[in-house]
Amino acid sequence: MRRHAMVIRLRPEHRETYLRLHAAVWPAVEETLRQANMRNFTIFLHDDLLFGYYEYVGDDHAADQARIAADPQTQEWWKLTEPCQESLAPEGSDDWWVPLPEVWHLADKG
């Protein structure tokens, strides 16, 4: 099993839009993730940080990731929610989500 935990920033001015879209579109995306061997997929907000966690239980991660990327409902989800989000990844990175251990301190109001 591969565990993934990642985070991006939700733009505060788009928070309500994101929550509305999440309620409307996410269930279809979640079904696609289950079909692609993702388990325990969770997204939650902490202030303006959007955390994602999932466990991959399949045998071919690249093929399952391609399956998710090709899914029209997932593409629609991303198109609708992308303007609501801001990547924390370094500029020039091909990544969108940043691994959780790299940014966990952002949630610490300490």
Side-chain angles (χ1 to χ4, degrees):
M1 177 178 6
R2 295 169 66 175
R3 291 185 173 100
H4 301 264
M6 304 159 296
V7 65
I8 59 176
R9 186 180 308 281
L10 187 63
R11 293 188 169 112
E13 67 272 20
H14 294 295
R15 181 184 178 97
E16 294 306 314
T17 300
Y18 175 86
L19 294 174
R20 182 177 44 79
L21 291 169
H22 184 81
V25 183
W26 179 252
V29 175
E30 194 169 32
E31 178 58 29
T32 298
L33 294 172
R34 277 195 293 274
Q35 291 172 6
N37 297 304
M38 304 295 178
R39 299 294 182 268
N40 298 327
F41 198 99
T42 305
I43 290 181
F44 66 94
L45 285 170
H46 178 79
D47 293 329
D48 63 344
L49 298 179
L50 186 67
F51 293 87
Y53 170 81
Y54 68 87
E55 295 173 350
Y56 176 70
V57 297
D59 296 324
D60 190 343
H61 191 256
D64 283 324
Q65 288 294 306
R67 178 181 187 172
I68 292 167
D71 177 65
Q73 293 169 321
T74 303
Q75 291 301 313
E76 181 69 8
W77 159 256
W78 187 251
K79 183 174 75 174
L80 291 171
T81 59
E82 192 276 334
C84 301
Q85 304 168 19
E86 176 183 10
S87 175
L88 297 174
E91 192 170 326
S93 169
D94 288 337
D95 295 324
W96 180 258
W97 291 75
V98 175
L100 185 59
E102 294 181 22
V103 294
W104 184 250
H105 65 279
L106 294 175
D108 182 12
K109 297 286 186 187

